[in-house]
Amino acid sequence: MALSIFSPLTIRGMTLKNRLVVSPMQQYLTPDGLVGTWHMVHLGSRAVGGAGLIITECSAVSPEGRNTLFDTGLWNDEQVAAWQPIVQFVQEQGAKIAIQLWHAGGKGSHRHPQEGMTYLPPTEGGWLPKGPSPTALGNGLAAEALTLAEMETIKANFVAATQRAVQAGFDSIELHAAHGYVFHQFYSGLTNHRTDQYGGSFENRIRLLVETVQAMRQVMPEAMPLLARLSVVDYSDDPRAWQLADGVRLSAILKVHGVDVVTASGGGFVTVDPATVFPSYQVPMAEKIKTETGVITGAVGMINEAQQANAIIASGQADLVLMARELLRDPYFPLRASRELHLTAEVPQPYKRAF
Ligand SMILES: Cc1cc2nc3c(=O)[nH]c(=O)nc-3n(C[C@H](O)[C@H](O)[C@H](O)COP(=O)(O)O)c2cc1C
């Protein structure tokens, strides 16, 4: 029988009841990185709405790994305790939940989006953002170069956050290695101008990411899946830019090191021409990664409709469909999609009289 978005999928020890995934979405609502009632209702509604997997917004592994002072985090035990009831509620609805772990690197220390996302200097509670090289990033700010010791600390912080994610009861972890943040800053030639073992060749530029994956996998339970979100293209013609062939090559390497799912996203440094953004525009990139590497692949980007989402799975272009903005408009999209497609999603018991 052909697969549908409501076909289950088992990844290591985690079985998803369907293939509709809540794509990570920053809320910029948490002073001290602590999630609260908003996150319970926000993520909880999408679990009630029928998503198979919920990926949390990017959560920083250390305070200076944040983009703004309002990002969620997982660098202390108080944050573990804050996540626990949310994780439990989501799981009680039959959904699985992954935390997206993240370090903003040279893109750190911004004001809140409502204040324009401009640089927040140390004199106002910010910090000096550091990336691979003192390169001006998309925000025009030249980050300082990380020392080797500071890179070891970043890896150690990912390991500690991984252990906290296990403690908090998450089903899975997604490593955010896309959108111009620290791992992408290292693997893209646009932003990495180092001359040490972390710069220059492809192998050197992916080294920080590969070493972090290896270190995380060592402390993760064997049954726990590790997901990675990549910018598989830079959307730039600059000869130093990251191209799809690089994204495919990196996906294959990450698979060998224990990454179970790659989500094919893109960009992070250059402004993308709106004319090149249309429904399913990134799906062919996911398809290429799936076909050429065999890794379980997630498609994301302007997937807004039930038929559209279902066709991606039924045709085998990707294994998972991630949706962001449509799930903000309608947290019950999966239940609606099951009616539109005449497929049977599990309806929460108290809502059954309506279906
Ligand atoms: C409000 C908002 C916040 C986002 N925050 C994150 C994030 O924390 N991590 C991430 O990897 N992507 C983030 N994204 C990108 C989305 O996950 C998704 O890749 C993008 O919106 C394209 O999907 P869509 O067309 O379904 O919205 C965010 C997008 C939105 C709209």
Side-chain angles (χ1 to χ4, degrees), residues 23-26 58 100 176 179 229 300-302 323-325:
S23 199
M25 280 182 278
Q26 266 176 297
C58 52
Q100 189 183 54
H176 192 354
H179 301 171
R229 171 172 282 222
V300 71
M302 289 194 72
M323 299 171 71
R325 289 164 293 180

Side-chain angles (χ1 to χ4, degrees), residues 31-47:
D32 305 321
L34 274 173
V35 288
T37 318
W38 173 266
H39 292 82
M40 172 63 94
V41 176
H42 166 66
L43 299 173
S45 329
R46 279 141 193 93

Side-chain angles (χ1 to χ4, degrees), residues 109 111 118-128:
S109 200
R111 291 178 212 280
T118 49
Y119 174 52
L120 183 75
T123 48
E124 294 179 48
W127 58 97
L128 283 177

